[in-house]
Amino acid sequence: MDSTPEPKRVRSEASARGHLDKVFETAALAPAKRRHSAFGRQLFEYVLEKPSTTQAALEGRILIVDHDRLSREILARNLQREGYAVEFEEDGARALLRLGEGTFDLALWEVQLPGLSGLDMLHRARKDAVLLHIPVVLLSEVKDVETVIRCIEAGADDYLPKPFNPALLKARIRASLERKRLRDQEQRLLAEIKAHQERIRIELADATAYLMSLLPPPLSEPFIADWRFIPSSELGGDCFGYHWIDEDHFAIYLLDVCGHGVGAALLSVTVLNVLRSHALTGADFRNPAEVLVAANRAFPMEQQNNRYFTLWYGVYERSTRKLTYSSGGHPPALLFEPGVVAAKKLATRGMMVGGMPTSRYTSQTCDVPVGSRLFVFCDGVYELTLPEGRTYTLDEFAALLGQLPADAPPDLDAVVARIHQLRGSKELEDDLSLIAIQF
Amino acid sequence: MDLKVITDADTYTHIALSGKLDIVGVGEIEDQFIAHTAGRKKNALVDISGLTHTGSMGLRLFLRASRSLSEEKKSLILLNPQPMVNDVLEESGIRRVIDVEHDAETALSKARA
């Protein structure tokens, strides 16, 4: 360890000596003079007035790691003249510790440093997240070219042959620091992007949690009703629900707003709340076609940021065991009657809701025998791109549902697991929404 | 997604789409598509035989262009959808407002009308 205090700024020798004599004559600095007198006159060869720390910091902070005192001093003079803040270490291990503080912009490292060579240092530094990004310029005798090559291969930024050429020193330091500045800037931008992405992720998760809170609880009486909802990584536009309109009429509905993200989810939740609270003017919520007509009137796409939605809306009449339904641009619901393998596709082929003000919607009715199963879902459950490249089909999905054991409530977890298996991943391209009702 | 202009005639526009018209694909061609269809205020014939998929945003794109053209008493005509794309057009109900043709000559004569 060099016992010499760190120099701050270099002047020409004559200027420095004259200046220092004056400086140390002042009463304020007399104690400092006494304290440092033990280090000898050589100290004052290059010590200076109080440095402009701010200016030096602007240019960059450099750690010189070299056991050769003369070499250090020459380097220091040159660098300080350029406005850099310079500090010294002659012990490699201590130098690594100081660099690890993250306050240096560049290290000048003697290749043949005893104890911890330039190559050793580079191997250690490249395993450290902080040191990794501090440029290292090697100092070497010209005869050490082979070592220098190995060091460059190990990650050194550049090298300076001894004895130093001031112009070369200046150019290489400036180039290395410029690279570091760009790297630091890149890191800052990356950190900002990551922070921004994290904020968006949290907000999307919050929106998903709100949407989930609006979904109905499973039912076990007078029939079984259950559902699964798995939002795509980016919040999609699916929503659904079921509820008793009165003692005899049970509404079941699922909607899918075009597109993804918060914009789609906002419209989706708005429509869901309207359906839950029967807040469509002129619609009898026991009449599915009326509900779609009123929804089409209430949510024209030109007033919804050019978004439309698809909707399947059905009403089960308990006293008659009849299901009346209407759909707008939505995949058919599937009704499996007991003992029948093939599903009935329940859709009325209306246009997507909000697409055209003149769209017409009709209702259809079917019987629901005891033990029948109804599945209402979005296209995300079957519009899957399979690993082999082709798209899964609605008929294949219907066959999958038809294979579920009939002697137990529909195993929706098994359906979701199969969809993930088919997709080859748990990442879905679209929301997965699936309602199952066993009458 | 790729959009190719086949004809920019005085009376109609003929373009072709190919690729996957999902949310990403729509983002790639939306401005161009609207400029060549609704923007020209002429009948627009869109060959979609090269479309392998259309999602809800693709349907929205067709609907926007069609609605805009219909205000000018012009039409959007879709030509030769692949079976799966045809199913989506059918299911969405969009065929009630957009003409979907499977014969090029018929489609061209409608576009020129």
Side-chain angles (χ1 to χ4, degrees):
Chain A
M1 174 72 189
D2 190 354
S3 59
T4 305
E6 310 299 4
K8 298 298 182 185
R9 193 170 181 179
V10 172
R11 292 182 146 204
S12 69
E13 287 185 18
S15 169
R17 278 202 193 93
H19 182 75
L20 285 167
D21 288 343
K22 287 180 187 172
V23 167
F24 280 91
E25 280 168 8
T26 64
L29 290 179
K33 181 181 180 183
R34 283 196 298 276
R35 203 163 50 244
H36 290 105
S37 59
F39 298 123
R41 187 67 183 174
Q42 60 187 359
L43 166 70
F44 306 125
E45 295 290 328
Y46 51 87
V47 174
L48 43 121
E49 63 201 286
K50 178 72 181 165
S52 169
T53 314
T54 309
Q55 184 191 346
L58 282 175
E59 296 299 330
R61 195 158 174 251
I62 296 173
L63 183 65
I64 299 174
V65 190
D66 194 343
H67 60 297
D68 180 345
R69 182 186 185 86
L70 182 62
S71 170
R72 290 199 306 263
E73 290 171 2
I74 296 169
L75 272 171
R77 282 195 189 94
N78 279 279
L79 294 174
Q80 288 171 324
R81 198 174 291 133
E82 294 300 320
Y84 298 112
V86 179
E87 297 189 30
F88 294 138
E89 272 299 343
E90 65 174 276
D91 176 82
R94 282 184 57 85
L96 275 182
L97 286 174
R98 295 188 65 188
L99 287 174
E101 293 165 4
T103 56
F104 288 96
D105 297 303
L106 184 142
L108 282 165
W109 200 289
E110 163 58 43
V111 170
Q112 299 296 354
L113 191 73
L116 192 71
S117 72
L119 196 56
D120 295 334
M121 177 271 174
L122 286 164
H123 284 147
R124 291 197 198 178
R126 296 316 176 212
K127 293 174 186 166
D128 184 293
V130 175
L131 300 178
L132 184 65
H133 298 297
I134 298 176
V136 176
V137 176
L138 297 168
L139 311 169
S140 76
E141 304 289 346
V142 176
K143 64 183 178 186
D144 292 334
V145 169
E146 288 301 318
T147 308
V148 168
I149 291 170
R150 288 208 303 278
C151 289
I152 298 278
E153 286 171 348
D157 282 65
D158 210 335
Y159 88 100
L160 275 169
K162 292 178 179 178
F164 306 111
N165 176 312
L168 191 60
L169 170 72
K170 189 172 150 184
R172 291 195 168 165
I173 296 290
R174 186 167 293 170
S176 290
L177 284 174
E178 183 56 23
R179 282 198 293 274
K180 177 163 189 300
R181 281 193 192 99
L182 291 173
R183 204 155 45 210
D184 288 350
Q185 191 178 28
E186 186 182 274
Q187 292 299 314
R188 278 196 299 277
L189 288 172
L190 194 61
E192 281 174 22
I193 290 168
K194 282 182 178 172
H196 185 65
Q197 284 176 330
E198 180 59 10
R199 280 200 300 278
I200 291 173
R201 191 195 64 74
I202 289 168
E203 284 175 15
L204 285 175
D206 197 31
T208 304
Y210 170 63
L211 195 153
M212 295 287 274
S213 76
L214 299 177
L215 302 181
L219 297 180
S220 55
E221 288 185 353
F223 40 74
I224 293 170
D226 199 0
W227 51 264
R228 292 295 179 273
F229 176 55
I230 303 174
S232 56
S233 51
E234 187 182 333
L235 187 64
D238 285 11
C239 259
F240 55 84
Y242 44 72
H243 65 270
W244 287 98
I245 299 169
D246 55 38
E247 286 185 352
D248 199 28
H249 296 90
F250 185 74
I252 307 151
Y253 40 93
L254 196 150
L255 65 110
D256 181 0
V257 175
C258 69
H260 295 266
V262 176
L266 284 173
L267 177 56
S268 188
V269 167
T270 304
V271 176
L272 181 71
N273 281 328
V274 161
L275 295 176
R276 277 159 42 115
S277 57
H278 301 173
L280 282 172
T281 308
D284 177 348
F285 274 75
R286 293 169 301 184
N287 183 328
E290 279 190 17
V291 170
L292 268 80
V293 167
N296 187 59
R297 200 166 47 228
F299 297 101
M301 63 186 285
E302 62 273 19
Q303 291 177 21
Q304 306 296 330
N305 197 23
N306 279 318
R307 290 188 188 276
Y308 65 82
F309 57 93
T310 68
L311 175 63
W312 192 97
Y313 184 94
V315 175
Y316 174 67
E317 194 173 58
R318 193 178 175 185
S319 58
T320 60
R321 303 199 65 85
K322 287 188 182 298
L323 176 68
T324 304
Y325 56 90
S326 182
S327 60
H330 202 83
L334 299 174
L335 182 72
F336 291 87
E337 294 178 358
V340 181
V341 175
K344 278 186 180 173
K345 292 181 177 174
L346 310 183
T348 58
R349 302 288 185 196
M351 195 169 156
M352 60 269 256
V353 181
M356 290 293 283
T358 54
S359 295
R360 295 178 185 280
Y361 299 94
T362 57
S363 294
Q364 288 182 12
T365 300
C366 66
D367 292 323
V368 183
V370 175
S372 296
R373 287 174 168 183
L374 175 72
F375 295 93
V376 186
F377 45 85
C378 64
D379 55 7
V381 298
Y382 65 90
E383 281 190 357
L384 311 168
T385 305
L386 303 177
E388 65 263 32
R390 75 175 182 89
T391 305
Y392 195 57
T393 65
L394 174 61
D395 287 338
E396 287 174 297
F397 180 64
L400 168 67
L401 296 177
Q403 288 165 9
L404 292 174
D407 55 354
D411 185 352
L412 299 185
D413 290 329
V415 176
V416 170
R418 179 63 179 148
I419 290 169
H420 284 149
Q421 186 188 18
L422 287 165
R423 178 83 174 85
S425 156
K426 288 195 172 181
E427 289 284 316
L428 295 169
E429 297 163 81
D430 198 357
D431 290 358
L432 186 159
S433 304
L434 173 63
I435 302 173
I437 296 179
Q438 179 150 337
F439 295 97
Chain B
M1 267 307 301
D2 190 46
L3 184 153
K4 188 178 172 188
V5 178
I6 296 168
T7 310
D8 253 353
D10 288 343
T11 52
Y12 73 101
T13 310
H14 186 180
I15 61 176
L17 297 179
S18 57
K20 194 174 176 183
L21 201 54
D22 56 9
I23 196 163
V24 177
V26 168
E28 289 169 359
I29 55 113
E30 185 167 17
D31 290 346
Q32 251 185 302
F33 183 84
I34 293 296
H36 284 292
T37 53
R40 290 201 77 213
K41 300 181 179 177
K42 299 177 193 307
N43 287 340
L45 172 59
V46 184
D47 184 336
I48 56 170
S49 58
L51 275 192
T52 55
H53 165 89
T54 182
S56 59
M57 294 301 275
L59 296 179
R60 183 177 86 150
L61 186 65
F62 293 148
L63 198 54
R64 274 183 65 197
S66 171
R67 288 186 61 162
S68 182
L69 285 173
S70 66
E71 286 171 10
E72 306 291 329
K73 311 286 183 207
K74 303 294 177 189
S75 312
L76 180 78
I77 303 152
L78 301 179
L79 174 63
N80 275 334
Q82 292 182 18
M84 290 194 68
V85 172
N86 194 55
D87 288 348
V88 173
L89 296 173
E90 197 72 53
E91 187 178 87
S92 68
I94 207 169
R95 291 192 62 162
R96 295 181 180 196
V97 289
I98 298 178
D99 200 355
V100 180
E101 290 293 338
H102 295 271
D103 177 69
E105 281 307 311
T106 308
L108 262 176
S109 64
K110 284 187 175 181
R112 287 176 180 140

